[in-house]
Structures are given as C-alpha cells and as structure tokens.
C-alpha cells in the first residue's frame, strides 16, 4: 500500500504542499515606513516643509529628529516581535513516517500527499488529516481543535473514507497528537484542506481595525490641524486689520501655528507604549503590536477558552465513592502534594487502613498503561498526605495518569505487582482489564464506564475489605451516585476485580470496588484573575467546545457563573445575529461551540460596543483571537497558529499575567492623557502669549529661537517622564472606558484650555511687569521666557493625576519626572545666565525683583487651577 514517488509528485503538483499559506511577511523597510502613517506624524512632516520654506532650518531639524526617534522606537519593537514570533512557528509536524515505493521512510511532512500511508505511535504529532486503517488502542489529544481535554479513542475504518469532519472516530486530524497506542493511516487531506488548514484560512479573512488609541490619536491630530489653521487665519487677520504688512503677518501666523504643534507627542506616546511593553515582557507577556497594550486597558469583555486557559488541562481525581463511603482528594492537576479525607466532614484518614479505598486505588494504578514520575522522593506519607512540592511528569493517557496520581497520594503504586495479561480499552467495549500477580495471588482488575462495569458485578467490597453480595438497593445507590457525579461535571470511572485463576475480560462475578470522579480543575491563578477582572468591571465569559454541564460546573468553580446562563452552539445556530445581540449579556458560558460560533460571539460583543479580548491556546481559538480587539494566546500550551494570530502572548500561560497587562494598558492610556494634557496646555499657552501680544499692539514677546528653546526644554524629557508614571492605586477598581468615549472626555479639554489661558496670561503679565520695572525689551522677553518655562514645569506635576490636585500628591512620587524637571530648569538657567548662551537665545540676566516676579507668576497659576479637582469625580 501507499504511493510511489512518482504518484506523490503528481498529487503534490495538483494539491499543493502540505503546509498552510502564511501571511506575507512584512519586510524591515515596510515596517519602518509604516511608522509614518500616523496623522500627527504627517502634520509634523508638513510643519518641517513649512519651516524649511521659512528658513527656520533649526526648527525643521528638530522636528525631523523627533519624527525619526518615534519611527525607530516603533520599528524596533515590531521588528523584534516579528522575529520572536517567527521562532515560534511550526504549524505542522516537521517529519512523517511514510511508506513510499513500498518502503517505510521518514520524509518532510510538507511533502505528504493524499493517498500516502503513514505510521504513528504514542507521542507523534499527526502531520495531516488521515483515515485510520489499523489501530492498536489508539487515543489522540484533540483539545487544540475541540477544546476538550479528554483523549479521544480512535478505531479503524474504511481506507477510502474522505470525510474529515471534526469528531469522527476513524479520522485523525493534522496538528493533534497520539497519546496512546499506534496506527497506520492513509492521508485524506493536506494543507489548506485539513481542519487546521481551514481554520488558518479563516484567519486570512479577518482584517484588523484601528485600536481605540489609534482612533483617538487620529481624532487629536485632526483637532491640532484645525487649531493650526484657525491660529494662522486669526493672527493673519488681526495683523492685517492693524495695518501690518500682509506677507509679514502671513509668515508670523504660520510660525505661531507651527509652535502650536506638540512635536513631542508622537515620541512620548511611542515611548510610553514601548516602556509598557518592556514591563509586560518582564511579567511574561510578549506584545506583538505596540498599540495592543493600550487596547487591553479598555477591555470590557474577556472571552476565555476553558481547557488550558481557565482549567489546567490536567485531569484530577477529586472524589472516590465505594459502596459504603466517600473519599475526597485535595491537590489539583499534577501537583505532588495532596491529602485524602473521608465523609462530608472531611475527616483525615490513613488510606492504607481503608480496605475498599486502598483496593480501588490499587485497581486504578494497575489497570493502566500510563506512567508518572518525579525527581522528588517523599520521605513520609502521613495520613494520606504526600510530602514535598513540584509536579508529577506523566506519560500516557491523562485519565489513567489521574488515577495513578490519586493512588500516589495514598501511598499506593504499581510496585510489587507483575502484569500477566491485558485487554486494552476499546471505544466499543468501554472498559480495560489486566491480570496481575500480586502478594494476594492472581487478580484481574477492571476499569471503565459504570454502565458497563456495574452490571458485571455480583459483589461489592465493604469497608472491612470483605466481598459482600450485591443487592438491588446497593446497585440503585451506586447508579444514583453516578448520575449525581455526572451532573457535577465529573467524569466517572468504575473500578472492580475478580480472583478467577484464568483471565476472562468478558466474564462476570466481579467485585465492585468503587468509582472515581475526576475533572479538569480550574487554575488557582485563573480564579484570582477572574475576581480582579470583576473588581475592574471587566466581564469574563467562557467559550468552549466542552459539554454544557461540564462547562457550567467549571465556570461555577472558577467564579465565572455569578447568575449567568449557559448556551450551546446548537442553540446559537437557531438565533439570528440580531437575536444574539439582544440576549448575549445573559450568557456567561458558551458550550459545545465550533470556531464559527466563537467568531459570532466575539462579533456580537463588538457590535454592542464592547472592547473584546479573546484568550485561548488551541487552533480552534485562532480565528476568534484574530477577530477580537486584543487576541491573547498561551505561550507554553498554545499552538503556533494561535500565537501568530494573537496580539499578546502570555509566556507563562497565567491569566494573572493578563490582569497585569490590563492594568498596564489602563496605566498607559491614563499616562497618554496626562502628557497630552500637559503638551497641549503648554502649546496653547505659547500660542496665546504670541496672539495676545499682537492683539494688544505689544512687541513680539518671544522670538522664534526662544519658542524653540521652550519646546526643547518642556516638550521633551518632562513629557516622557510623565509617561513613566506608575498606575494609580484605584486604577483597577474603575470601570473600563466606553468604546465611543472621546479622548477629551471627563472635562479634559476644558482643563487644557483653562490651564493654557492661565499660562498665556501669566507670561504676558510677566513681560509687562518687567517693562514697568524699567527693564528693556530683552529683559521683558527673558522674564516672559522664565515664567513660561517655569509655569509649564509646575504644570507637569499637576498632570500626574486627573483626580487629585498638586497639593495632595507626593512631589517625589515620580523621581524620573523630578530629574527631568531639574534638567529642564538647568537648561533654562543656563540660557539666561551663561553669556555665550545669552547671545544665542537673545536673553539677559534680569534683576532679582524681575526674577521674583516672573517666578511668582508661574507658581501662582496652580492655585486657581485647583478648583477643577473633585477627588474621584473624573473618569481618568
């Protein structure tokens, strides 16, 4: 069987390689040029051209340097992330064992063709969608496609079967892995025709919208452009009406308009985002796009996958029922530590003294092909507790490993028993049996579905270890308990044995030992993260392919349900988009969903104006992750397709890291508002100073070179340092911003204008007072320069919070800002006091009275501005 090399080549030519079409990679030049598309950057480039035409070469050089700095910072981050993600890409198995020309050989998986015969064994990754021809106890992990953590049993079917729909028992799917057994299979779909390939194709149909921050900065850019035009027209008109030369007033208007542009804004935004990215990287969160950081901050809905995201993707035995007693196991996942307790009051017990319990656990340990091991050797096991820390390493089926770990918590293992015969688990018979030689002689152990094992049981083991005849009432009690456990989303495995000398898997007269209930437990850190999100008014919903009852139970344990309802993919299919939009707020759990359902849910939330963050680790999450405003993938357990679709990758798979990222996002946006407030207030003050002088018939208060000095001293370091402000203590107790909230919401624009007016009036007043004190024009301009710079340096400390006034904040809470202010003040002092710089900036050293008046005016400005602070009233 299999293909010849010639046949394979022909089919490869017809069907294409067994690989997915990757998105076109962005070259370095394309990434770099992409940094110049921002509206503010375009305005700055326009200002550069005007500056050159006016002969202001120094202004032009300064603006160009700022624009280049912004572009380089953005380029470095995106280029570095591109390379990091490139290292994570491995969409299909790199090699496959395939029969060509009748010989078994290992070939590049991309060269597989439809009709190739491959061989798989436990641990192998499936290289293409294949129909199973022969199987030996084969189980595959399909959680990346279906979201279900339980391994799926696979059986042989027709080799000519070409239906690769998800969930078929004789089909193995590309990207899944064999966890147990072996098989031979024929390739039925490659590349884009596989289920993983179809999901990859869906990603290409999803475009990315502008982030909320990009929309707001574009809005800000338009406002600045309008301000520049209005200022230019107003100055030109006022001057002409006064009889000034038309050309001179046109040039003056353009010069002042250029002064109105906050040159430092794009660089400050980029640096603030880059610093947040750096902090998040230290917290194990890799950011793909800079602007994704801020978008995280306004997240209002987190759509989370269940398996591996909210849960550990590690089956855990939580309880075991014998015919007469119930026992509970602590410690979740593969953690070494754990205890065994008994009854509703959780009485501590010695498991070895509980005959039925210890025999049931021994059955679970011996009737297994899985293995567990750890580097730790516990010195003692006291009252059911396994000492030490760390995790077990498992090999084989997760369900069998869960039984082994439960037995290990009771101090029971496979030692001392020798396996004689084995009947492997089969999806049709739904049980497994082994015969072992033990200290008590030969015993055959059985485990499987309760409805299969219980009818074969003629006896049950009581608490004293005696085999007692099974009665109808005991049988009914066991059945009722099984239903109760299933309703609680536990997977139930029955355990039994017999002492027959011969090995007869189909025989009866079994002794019922008990039934183990197991679940994939929620992560402890996920519970904490969900609580923090709730406190921050961020709604978390679960979207999973698992059963409705199981998903609802896990959601309840994780703290997600909170009065919400569960809905299935089948029920979603019966709803129109309009109906779903109306009722989606009622649901917290979306179960039995396929990739298309996940996309519908994300899109419905977005239509309702929510900012959606989608987390997940499986291939089935990738389309929804790309569609969401922010896609978050798990770095450790996440598939490569998902990582490539995501905006953020959690390198430690910890939802607590996501909460930290949301906090960083909120902090970034708050800081951007802070330095936008600062820069625009300062620029309005500068423009108003010049405009008032023209209206009042005064001499030009500040020369172009002095305006340049102000921009260099106040627009650079202070605004960048303001972007390094730490998150305010209550930032995660505030509701997220609305998606349609304007950038200047919460009265920010009024504050900016009011503060700019105060700065402008104070500067004009300083100029006038200096002249009245007998100073010349140069002294007046120097005093105006001092007041303008000092009032802006005072204002930068006001901008540290939108909720508190400068008088209630610790001035040393941001030492980087203090340092920036000191450097800016030193630059101002040098420009005023150093003779060589006096020549450059047309300054003189004013008298002490003039300096006191200039400084006093700058320090007086915060007092009237303080009336606008109402503690906690503003939406920061």
């Amino acid at each position: 069987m299999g293909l010849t090399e010639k046949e394979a080549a022909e089919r490869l030519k017809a069907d294409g390689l067994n690989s997915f079409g990757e998105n076109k990679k962005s070259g370095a030049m394309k990434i770099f040029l992409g940094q110049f598309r921002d509206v503010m950057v375009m305005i700055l480039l326009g200002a550069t051209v005007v500056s050159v035409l006016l002969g202001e070469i120094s202004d032009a050089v300064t603006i160009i340097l700022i624009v280049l700095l912004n572009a380089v910072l953005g380029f470095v981050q995106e280029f570095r992330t591109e390379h990091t993600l490139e290292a994570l890409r491995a969409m299909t198995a790199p090699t496959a064992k395939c029969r060509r020309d009748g010989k078994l050989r290992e070939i590049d998986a991309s060269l597989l063709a439809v009709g190739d015969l491959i061989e798989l064994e436990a641990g192998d990754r499936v290289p293409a969608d294949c129909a199973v021809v022969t199987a030996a106890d084969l189980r595959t992990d399909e959680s990346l496609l279906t979201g279900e953590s339980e391994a799926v049993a696979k059986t042989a079917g027709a080799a000519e079967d070409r239906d690769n729909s998800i969930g078929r028992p004789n089909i193995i799917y590309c990207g899944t892995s064999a966890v147990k057994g072996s098989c031979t299979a024929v390739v039925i779909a490659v590349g884009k025709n596989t289920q993983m390939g179809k999901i990859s194709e869906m990603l290409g149909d999803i475009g990315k919208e502008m982030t909320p921050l990009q929309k707001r900065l574009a809005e800000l850019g338009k406002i600045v452009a309008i301000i520049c035009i209005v200022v230019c027209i107003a100055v030109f008109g006022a001057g002409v009406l006064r009889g000034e030369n038309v050309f001179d007033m046109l040039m003056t208007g353009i010069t002042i308009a250029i002064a109105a542009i906050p040159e430092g804004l794009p660089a400050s935004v980029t640096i603030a985002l880059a610093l947040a990215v750096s902090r998040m990287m230290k917290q194990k969160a890799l950011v793909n796009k800079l602007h994704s950081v801020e978008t995280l901050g306004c997240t209002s809905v987190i759509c989370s996958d269940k398996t591996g995201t909210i849960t550990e993707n590690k089956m855990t035995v939580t309880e075991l029922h014998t015919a007469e007693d119930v026992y509970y196991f602590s410690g979740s996942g593969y953690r070494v530590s754990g205890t065994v307790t008994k009854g509703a009051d959780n009485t501590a017990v010695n498991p070895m003294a509980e005959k039925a319990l210890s025999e049931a656990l021994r059955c679970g340990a011996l009737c297994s092909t899985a293995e567990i091991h750890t580097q730790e050797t516990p010195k003692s096991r006291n009252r059911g507790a396994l000492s030490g820390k760390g995790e077990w390493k498992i090999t084989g089926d997760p369900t069998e490993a869960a039984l082994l770990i439960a037995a290990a918590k009771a101090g029971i293992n496979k030692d001392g028993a020798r396996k004689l015969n084995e009947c492997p688990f089969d999806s049709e018979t739904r049980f497994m049996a082994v015969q072992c030689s033990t200290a008590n002689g030969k015993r055959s152990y059985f485990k499987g579905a309760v409805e299969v094992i219980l009818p074969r049981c003629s006896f049950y083991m009581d608490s004293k270890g005696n085999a007692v005849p099974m009665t109808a009432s005991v049988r009914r009690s066991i059945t009722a308990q099984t239903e109760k456990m299933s309703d609680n989303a536990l997977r139930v495995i029955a355990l039994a044995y017999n002492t027959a000398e011969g090995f007869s898997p189909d025989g009866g007269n079994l002794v019922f030992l008990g039934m183990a209930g197991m679940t994939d437990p929620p992560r402890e850190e996920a519970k904490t993260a969900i609580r923090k999100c709730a406190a921050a008014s961020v709604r978390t919903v679960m979207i999973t392919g698992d059963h409705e009852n199981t998903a609802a139970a896990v959601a309840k344990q994780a703290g997600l349900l909170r009065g919400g309802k569960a809905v299935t993919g089948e029920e979603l299919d019966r709803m129109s988009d309009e109906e779903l939009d109306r009722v989606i707020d009622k649901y917290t759990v979306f179960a039995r969903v396929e990739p298309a359902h996940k996309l519908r849910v994300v899109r419905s939330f977005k239509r309702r104006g929510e900012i959606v963050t989608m987390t997940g680790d499986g291939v089935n999450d990738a389309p929804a992750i790309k569609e969401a405003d922010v896609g978050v993938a798990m770095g450790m357990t996440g598939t490569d397709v998902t990582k490539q679709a995501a905006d953020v990758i959690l390198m430690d798979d910890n939802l607590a890291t996501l909460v930290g990222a949301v906090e960083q996002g909120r902090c970034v946006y708050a800081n951007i508002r802070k330095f936008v407030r600062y820069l625009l207030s300062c620029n309005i003050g500068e423009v108003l100073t010049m405009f008032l002088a023209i209206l009042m018939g005064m001499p030009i208060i500040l020369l172009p070179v002095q305006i340049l000095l102000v921009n260099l001293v106040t627009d650079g370091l202070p605004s960048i340092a303001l972007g390094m402000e730490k998150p305010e203590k209550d930032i995660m107790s505030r509701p997220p911003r609305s998606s349609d909230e304007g950038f200047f919401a919460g009265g920010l624009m009024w504050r900016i204008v009011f503060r700019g007016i105060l700065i402008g009036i104070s500067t004009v007043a300083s100029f006038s007072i200096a002249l009245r004190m007998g100073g010349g024009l140069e002294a007046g301009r120097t005093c105006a320069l001092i007041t303008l710079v000092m009032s802006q340096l005072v204002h930068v400390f006001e901008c540290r919070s939108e909720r508190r006034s400068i008088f209630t904040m610790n001035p040393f809470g941001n030492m980087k800002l203090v340092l920036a202010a000191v450097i800016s003040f030193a630059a101002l002092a040098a420009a005023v006091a150093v003779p060589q710089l006096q020549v450059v900036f047309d300054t003189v050293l004013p008298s002490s009275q003039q300096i006191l008046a200039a400084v006093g005016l700058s320090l007086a400005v915060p007092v009237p501005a303080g009336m606008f602070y109402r503690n906690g009233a503003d939406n920061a």
Side-chain angles (χ1 to χ4, degrees), residues 207-259:
K208 270 295 181 183
E209 300 176 358
M210 292 177 69
T211 69
L213 177 61
Q214 288 172 324
K215 292 176 183 177
R216 284 160 178 75
L217 289 179
E219 168 194 326
L220 177 60
K222 293 174 184 176
I223 291 174
V224 170
I226 292 171
I227 290 173
C228 291
I229 294 171
V230 170
V231 166
C232 185
I233 294 173
V235 172
F236 172 76
V240 170
L241 290 175
R242 284 180 51 198
E244 300 287 346
N245 180 276
V246 174
F247 181 76
D248 288 345
M249 291 315 302
L250 177 62
M251 293 299 100
T252 302
I254 293 174
T255 302
I256 296 175
I258 291 174

Side-chain angles (χ1 to χ4, degrees), residues 400-684:
E400 293 186 346
L403 291 169
L404 283 173
I405 292 171
K409 291 175 181 177
I412 296 171
N413 53 42
K414 295 182 179 182
D415 294 348
R418 183 166 57 90
K419 189 180 293 186
L420 302 175
N421 292 290
E422 176 180 341
C423 175
F425 178 87
D426 185 270
S427 58
E428 293 182 3
T429 61
R430 300 173 66 197
F431 77 91
M432 175 183 179
V434 296
Q435 185 182 41
C436 298
S437 175
T438 68
N440 297 323
K442 290 183 180 180
R443 281 195 175 185
S444 296
Y445 292 100
F446 295 75
K447 77 169 179 7
V450 176
E451 56 269 31
V452 173
I453 298 296
L454 186 59
R456 299 185 180 191
C457 294
S458 304
F459 305 88
Y460 69 88
M461 183 174 283
D462 65 12
S463 57
K464 297 179 181 179
N466 300 317
V468 179
M470 179 72 70
T471 64
S473 62
V474 172
R475 198 180 297 277
R476 285 195 299 271
S477 174
I478 293 172
T479 302
Q481 188 58 51
T482 301
E483 293 174 354
K484 184 177 179 181
M485 294 168 72
S486 296
D487 289 341
N488 290 331
L490 294 177
R491 185 180 181 214
V492 185
I493 301 293
L495 305 162
Y497 80 98
N498 68 27
T499 56
E501 187 67 23
F503 181 56
S504 178
D506 297 324
N509 291 322
L510 302 184
V511 179
F512 179 82
L513 295 172
M515 46 193 176
M518 59 186 70
T519 185
D520 182 10
R523 296 172 178 264
E524 289 301 321
E525 58 268 29
K527 294 179 184 178
T528 303
I530 289 166
R531 286 195 297 270
K532 288 184 178 179
C533 286
S537 300
V538 177
R539 185 182 175 198
T540 308
V541 301
M542 178 193 294
I543 305 181
T544 178
D546 218 335
H547 191 276
E548 181 180 3
N549 289 346
T550 302
V554 171
K556 185 176 181 180
Q557 294 169 17
L560 267 181
L561 213 50
R562 302 190 180 195
K565 298 179 180 179
V567 64
T568 64
E570 185 178 343
E571 291 171 315
L572 289 177
D573 287 335
R574 294 196 291 267
M575 298 183 196
S576 66
D577 286 346
E578 292 75 17
E579 290 172 329
L580 178 59
D581 292 348
R582 285 197 300 270
V583 301
I584 194 167
D585 283 341
K586 298 179 181 179
Y587 301 114
T588 305
V589 175
F590 299 85
R592 288 296 189 199
V593 296
E594 296 178 357
H597 295 131
K598 295 187 179 188
L599 273 174
R600 280 195 70 197
V601 170
V602 170
R603 287 170 175 166
S604 178
F605 276 124
K606 290 177 72 174
R607 284 194 297 270
R608 290 178 59 86
E610 307 284 2
I611 301 297
V612 183
T613 292
M614 173 75 190
T615 73
D617 58 358
V619 172
N620 59 334
D621 301 321
I625 278 178
K626 189 170 183 181
E627 173 68 27
D629 296 289
V630 180
V632 181
M634 300 297 155
M636 295 174 66
T637 58
T639 58
D640 300 317
V641 172
T642 311
K643 291 172 186 175
Q644 291 168 41
D647 299 295
V648 179
I649 300 173
L650 303 182
M651 304 307 291
D652 59 356
D653 288 13
N654 193 337
L655 273 181
T657 303
L658 176 59
V659 175
V662 170
E663 183 176 12
Q664 287 295 336
R666 291 191 174 192
C667 177
V668 162
Y669 187 74
N671 287 350
I672 289 173
R673 277 175 60 101
K674 290 170 186 176
F675 57 66
V676 165
R677 171 189 173 190
Y678 168 68
L679 290 171
L680 291 186
S681 295
C682 294
N683 284 29
I684 287 174

